[in-house]
């Protein structure tokens, strides 16, 4: 890789041999065993069905693997992704892949969208048309949708330190390189960690930051928990449930990401199962396309390292100051405003919706697009 600021066109063109190898491995899957438990009549007490008690069940993995092998069409998705302009450039020694779709509206606002794990830049593809080409009178956007270094078509990271802060600095450089003097930032999941830091690192150019989570937690001071409303207590109980029952992937990737890396690099079925717990509420096509991207780019290990690098980063003590907006969805982690205002000093928009989940681009895109328009139009 050369030290260059050149922006080069990019087109996804997976060799057929790689797809043949994928099919061969899927056909030869050695299935995991699991307990034979009769879940008939079991009551669902959490966000996942009872049969997910021990993790991703064999029945789910078998069903999606069969679909991956027999009916899923990667070439169709390759064609769709290639229908949007894509580019690569080198920033801070790392290859960065991104979509760059400009609106025909002269008043469009430049907006950089950051995905999370185990998603990829695929997360925002369904929002490209409604945000760049909205109905008459609605706010339009020029979209920059990068792939986080270590994920998908950006390829694996080559050195330490690719945490939220280094990614945010890379995004500020990317927007400068694209010629945008003023722009907004949005993120979900890991992108909700990165996007506020874009505002912190580049406040002179960032109009505002919009996220779907504000990950602000109790500091440990008992006084912070006094006088919580019943609703706020429910939010904290959900967070506790998630950490105790659904956060195993995060703990492993924060502490020893290489432990899982070898399995992910060798087994596409294993890669599918590893991303499935968080993505299982999305369509089968979305789950399989993300799994295919991770498999073809062999970035299971490097995407997991993002958690390790972020856990071991030096985190700023001062709050962010750029205008910040939250769109919080019903079946997702709900932040408490009293904690969020400790970490973000300029929250100007706070909307909680009665539908949608952690992946709102998939199940509440209309609400998310509408909140983005309202937030950024209000700032300008």
């Amino acid at each position: 890789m050369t030290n260059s600021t050149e922006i080069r066109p990019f087109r996804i063109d997976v060799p057929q041999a790689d797809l043949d190898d994928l099919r061969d491995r899927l056909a030869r899957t050695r299935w995991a065993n699991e307990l034979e438990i009769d879940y008939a009549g079991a009551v669902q007490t959490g966000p996942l069905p009872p049969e997910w008690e021990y993790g991703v069940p064999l029945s789910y993995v078998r069903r999606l693997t069969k679909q991956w092998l027999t009916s899923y069409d990667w070439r169709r998705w390759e064609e769709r992704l290639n229908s949007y302009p894509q580019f690569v450039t080198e920033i801070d020694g790392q290859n960065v892949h991104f979509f760059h779709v400009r609106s025909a509206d002269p008043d469009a606002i430049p907006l950089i969208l950051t995905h999370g794990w185990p998603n990829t830049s695929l997360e925002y593809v369904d929002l490209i048309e409604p945000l760049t080409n909205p109905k008459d009178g609605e706010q339009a956007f020029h979209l920059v949708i990068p792939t986080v270094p270590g994920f998908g078509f950006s390829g694996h990271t080559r050195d330490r330190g690719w945490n939220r802060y280094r990614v945010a600095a890379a995004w500020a450089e990317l927007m400068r390189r694209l010629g945008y003097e003023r722009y907004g930032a949005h993120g979900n999941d890991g992108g909700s960690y990165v996007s506020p830091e874009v505002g912190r690192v580049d406040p002179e150019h960032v109009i505002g930051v919009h996220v779907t989570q504000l990950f602000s937690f109790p500091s440990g001071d008992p006084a912070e928990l006094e006088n919580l409303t019943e609703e706020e207590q429910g939010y904290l109980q959900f967070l506790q449930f998630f950490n105790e029952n659904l956060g195993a992937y995060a703990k492993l990737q924060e502490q020893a990401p290489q432990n899982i890396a070898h399995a992910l690099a060798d087994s596409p079925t294993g890669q599918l199962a590893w991303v499935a717990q968080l993505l299982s509420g999305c369509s089968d096509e979305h789950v399989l396309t993300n799994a295919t991207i991770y498999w073809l780019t062999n970035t299971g290990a490097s995407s997991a390292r993002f958690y390790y690098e972020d856990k071991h980063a030096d985190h700023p003590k001062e709050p962010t100051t750029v205008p910040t907006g939250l769109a919080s969805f019903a079946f997702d982690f709900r932040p408490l405003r009293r904690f969020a205002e400790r970490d973000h000093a300029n929250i100007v928009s706070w909307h909680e919706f009665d539908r949608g989940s952690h992946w709102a681009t998939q199940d509440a895109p209309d609400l998310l697009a509408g909140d983005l328009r309202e937030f950024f139009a209000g700032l300008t």
Side-chain angles (χ1 to χ4, degrees):
M1 182 178 294
T2 60
N3 290 319
S4 171
T5 60
E6 180 187 5
I7 295 174
R8 306 180 303 279
F10 178 85
R11 182 174 178 82
I12 304 169
D13 186 14
V14 174
Q16 185 59 42
D18 291 354
L19 298 179
D20 293 342
D21 176 69
L22 170 59
R23 288 180 56 83
D24 178 63
R25 289 170 183 263
L26 291 173
R28 293 186 295 107
T29 297
R30 186 174 74 163
W31 301 105
N33 64 73
E34 64 179 6
L35 295 175
E36 295 182 6
I37 301 175
D38 184 4
Y39 287 100
V43 178
Q44 184 168 336
T45 58
L48 293 174
E51 55 266 32
W52 289 64
E53 175 186 1
Y54 284 86
V56 184
L58 180 59
S59 58
Y60 178 90
V61 180
R62 276 187 177 274
R63 182 177 66 79
L64 259 70
T65 299
K66 180 179 180 181
Q67 185 175 333
W68 205 358
L69 183 60
T70 61
S71 62
Y72 175 79
D73 186 355
W74 164 255
R75 292 300 188 196
R76 183 173 67 84
W77 277 96
E78 189 176 71
E79 182 179 4
R80 183 182 176 191
L81 295 175
N82 282 333
S83 71
Y84 299 109
Q86 297 172 74
F87 304 88
V88 291
T89 191
E90 180 188 339
I91 301 177
D92 194 11
Q94 175 64 42
N95 197 57
V96 174
H97 161 267
F98 62 99
F99 293 89
H100 186 199
V101 187
R102 290 184 59 85
S103 172
D105 188 337
D107 295 322
I109 297 172
L111 180 64
I112 186 167
L113 304 166
T114 307
H115 66 84
W117 185 94
N119 238 307
T120 61
S121 50
L122 174 74
E123 181 174 353
Y124 292 107
V125 167
D126 289 342
L127 284 187
I128 290 177
E129 286 301 320
L131 290 181
T132 59
N133 188 28
K135 298 176 182 177
D136 291 344
E138 292 182 332
Q139 180 63 59
F141 297 90
H142 303 306
L143 297 183
V144 179
I145 311 174
T147 301
V148 173
F151 291 66
F153 294 108
S154 282
H156 63 84
T157 46
R158 294 170 172 80
D159 58 354
R160 292 176 178 265
W162 277 101
N163 51 48
R164 73 181 81 172
Y165 310 107
R166 191 170 176 184
V167 173
W171 284 186
E173 168 59 20
L174 176 60
M175 297 304 275
R176 185 201 66 78
R177 202 171 287 184
L178 291 172
Y180 291 126
E181 288 293 322
R182 298 284 285 165
Y183 64 93
H186 165 79
N188 175 59
D189 188 79
S192 286
Y193 280 122
V194 171
S195 296
E197 300 308 321
V198 179
R200 190 196 301 274
V201 76
D202 198 19
E204 294 182 358
H205 301 103
V206 174
I207 300 167
V209 170
H210 184 277
V211 292
T212 43
Q213 302 89 18
L214 286 169
F215 293 110
S216 297
F217 307 117
S219 66
D221 181 356
E224 284 187 332
L225 303 180
E226 295 177 357
N227 303 317
L228 289 179
T229 67
E230 184 176 345
E231 184 179 47
E232 289 175 327
Q233 291 174 11
Y235 291 175
L236 284 183
Q237 288 170 2
F238 177 84
L239 173 63
Q240 183 177 2
F241 175 87
F242 187 92
N243 285 338
E244 292 178 354
N245 296 277
L246 300 174
Y249 71 93
K251 289 296 183 183
L252 175 60
Q253 295 186 158
E254 285 175 354
Q255 296 177 5
Q258 209 65 19
N259 283 0
I260 191 68
H262 310 285
L264 300 182
D266 190 58
S267 169
T269 306
Q271 177 69 75
L272 168 64
W274 187 241
V275 304
Q277 185 179 52
L278 286 192
L279 289 179
S280 60
C282 301
S283 70
D284 291 351
E285 284 277 303
H286 189 78
V287 178
L288 288 173
T289 302
N290 273 295
T292 304
I293 290 172
Y294 278 108
W295 174 258
L296 293 174
T297 59
N298 195 12
T299 51
S302 51
S303 63
R305 286 198 295 268
F306 178 84
Y307 281 74
Y308 180 93
E309 301 296 351
D310 209 68
K311 177 70 173 178
H312 293 81
D314 292 326
H315 299 286
K317 301 285 193 297
E318 298 301 315
T320 67
T321 58
V322 299
T324 300
L326 171 75
S328 182
F329 293 89
F331 304 103
D332 193 13
F333 160 76
R334 294 281 210 184
L336 275 65
R337 188 155 186 167
R338 64 175 70 191
F339 300 147
E341 289 178 339
R342 178 195 63 204
D343 298 332
H344 306 281
N346 195 8
I347 297 174
V348 299
S349 176
W350 185 286
H351 293 148
E352 298 185 8
F353 297 102
D354 60 2
R355 61 182 171 89
S357 72
H358 190 69
W359 308 110
T361 57
Q362 307 306 300
D363 56 21
D366 56 328
L367 296 181
L368 178 56
D371 207 66
L372 282 165
R373 293 189 192 101
E374 180 180 342
F375 174 71
F376 284 105
L379 294 180
T380 56

